[in-house]
Amino acid sequence: MGNHCGVKICGTTSLEDAQLAAGYGADYFGVVVEVDFSPRSLTIDQAKPLFDQSPINRTAGVALVFHMKPARLRHLMACLHPHAVQFLNPEDFSHIRELKQQFPDVRLWQSIHLPEAGKEIDFNAFLERVQAYVEAGIDLLIFDTVAVLKGVQKFGGTGMVSDWHVVRQLIDQVDTSVPVWLAGGIDPDNVAAAIAAVRPAGVDLCSGVEAAPGRKDPEKIRRLIENSRLQGKQSLFLH
């Protein structure tokens, strides 16, 4: 990715939108695979045409899963050959170690969900969990925001923002050998502020660049990547 702030366009449901993300210079496109609660979810068979083309230019495909059964996950990895698998659920540490041995060429990413801005967080418990993931072999961490909708927790694609200053404090204390990305409520209008406040290795977003759930808006993607690149360069210069 060079010296810029990385960008992943998530919730991709079509080859056209994957090509759109690639055309504007995103580093990754994300595909939600067999996640029942997501309106953007695809089956492995539906996702295969997108991953068959990956990488598109230099834009690689990432498969997002949630409590997928181990045998099904191994099938996904063997069938799709994703650049990375991103766990939306808190994945078992021993399973991470097994997958690292079985699929050494596939990166393993872990989403870690923070409360919405204004809600308290247990710093010590959070940092212990992060360190355990790093020791298990996770290659990249995504700090995202959990939302409670109608009494049910929702992970990923919530459009909810966490407290960026708290996220920055957490990043300052985690193992810096593992890149930390920021997700949760990021859009073209606030991405520059998010990067300035958090200084993440990358930003991961979905609903902030959509015309409708599962359908990307070309102008929003263009503005998002343009604003992220500009702010990313400024942050590198200042810090």
Side-chain angles (χ1 to χ4, degrees):
M1 290 186 304
N3 292 324
H4 66 254
C5 180
V7 173
K8 176 160 78 72
I9 304 298
C10 210
T12 306
T13 61
S14 68
L15 182 57
E16 179 184 6
D17 279 351
Q19 292 169 336
L20 187 65
Y24 283 113
D27 298 282
Y28 305 101
F29 66 88
V31 181
V32 179
V33 183
E34 299 184 358
V35 176
D36 290 344
F37 61 78
S38 173
R40 307 169 183 89
S41 182
L42 303 181
T43 65
I44 291 175
D45 288 344
Q46 289 171 331
K48 195 172 189 311
L50 282 72
F51 285 94
D52 283 348
Q53 297 297 318
S54 177
I56 302 172
N57 298 334
R58 297 182 179 180
T59 304
V62 177
L64 286 80
V65 299
F66 184 80
H67 288 301
M68 181 174 279
K69 292 182 178 179
R72 187 65 175 168
L73 180 57
R74 289 193 296 272
H75 172 66
L76 178 155
M77 295 170 80
C79 181
L80 300 185
H81 304 288
H83 171 80
V85 168
Q86 179 178 337
F87 298 106
L88 296 174
N89 58 284
E91 190 58 29
D92 181 77
F93 303 129
S94 62
H95 191 216
I96 292 169
R97 295 187 184 97
E98 291 174 6
L99 291 172
K100 292 293 289 183
Q101 293 181 343
Q102 295 171 5
F103 298 91
D105 295 332
V106 179
R107 310 289 197 277
L108 299 180
W109 296 5
Q110 179 66 55
S111 292
I112 299 184
H113 292 87
L114 302 166
E116 300 169 38
K119 296 187 177 180
E120 293 185 6
I121 180 171
D122 184 334
F123 267 65
N124 290 334
F126 183 88
L127 293 172
E128 287 177 6
R129 188 153 48 104
V130 165
Q131 188 59 38
Y133 280 125
V134 172
E135 291 174 359
I138 282 293
D139 298 294
L140 185 147
L141 296 164
I142 301 98
F143 289 2
D144 201 348
T145 311
V146 65
V148 179
L149 303 174
K150 297 181 180 179
V152 178
Q153 285 190 328
K154 184 180 178 185
F155 301 92
T158 66
M160 304 299 292
V161 178
S162 58
D163 188 324
W164 291 335
H165 297 290
V166 170
V167 176
R168 182 63 240 173
Q169 292 176 49
L170 292 168
I171 290 177
D172 285 339
Q173 297 179 60
V174 302
D175 186 332
T176 54
S177 67
V178 176
V180 177
W181 284 45
L182 178 67
I186 298 171
D187 60 32
D189 295 323
N190 68 12
V191 65
I195 294 171
V198 178
R199 304 194 303 278
V203 290
D204 184 0
L205 65 152
C206 177
S207 59
V209 289
E210 287 186 324
R215 186 163 59 86
K216 302 307 180 197
D217 183 310
E219 177 61 13
K220 289 181 180 178
I221 292 179
R222 183 196 67 76
R223 288 180 52 230
L224 179 285
I225 292 178
E226 181 178 282
N227 292 343
S228 71
R229 297 294 191 246
L230 179 61
Q231 182 58 50
K233 290 178 181 179
Q234 292 176 350
S235 295
L236 286 167
F237 178 77
L238 291 171
H239 301 287

